[in-house]
Amino acid sequence: MLSSGGPANINVSPLSLASTQATNTQTQQVLTIGNTSSAGSSDLTWTVFEDANGSPELVDWSDNFDSYATGSQMHGQGGWKGWANDPAAGAHQQHPGAQRTQLG
């Protein structure tokens, strides 16, 4: 009988990467991904998605969570998207008294 050491545990360093370069140029950056769970645990499977439309600049951002119905799917509301743009990987608005906030 084989015993399992538990689920995989991902460790990523750095937590994010960003780069801007001119057309027809290349850059290299190191991304370290590891499975830090104990021996005998599940294999770690992962995927990297490139955000080709992302903006490296910081911008002021705000959202009015009060306008979302309690229990509603966040994917598709106010620009929110689930992981990899998958509605099944979205989140639900849970608190009826959610307060809006502004970052920046």
Side-chain angles (χ1 to χ4, degrees):
M1 171 184 233
L2 296 174
S3 64
S4 173
N9 184 45
I10 191 167
N11 182 18
V12 179
S13 177
L15 295 178
S16 67
L17 298 170
S19 177
T20 303
Q21 60 272 348
T23 305
N24 296 322
T25 61
Q26 296 181 359
T27 186
Q28 293 184 6
Q29 298 182 36
V30 175
L31 174 65
T32 304
I33 301 172
N35 183 356
T36 60
S37 58
S38 61
S41 59
S42 300
D43 289 342
L44 175 66
T45 335
W46 52 273
T47 304
V48 173
F49 293 95
E50 179 182 0
D51 184 1
N53 298 319
S55 172
E57 297 129 20
L58 296 176
V59 294
D60 284 337
W61 175 86
S62 66
D63 199 340
N64 182 3
F65 292 100
D66 298 338
S67 67
Y68 302 152
T70 300
S72 66
Q73 173 60 261
M74 297 287 293
H75 181 89
Q77 295 189 76
W80 291 101
K81 296 182 179 181
W83 288 102
N85 199 18
D86 181 356
H92 290 86
Q93 201 281 21
Q94 295 294 323
H95 194 279
Q99 300 294 315
R100 72 184 132 217
T101 186
Q102 183 166 351
L103 304 174

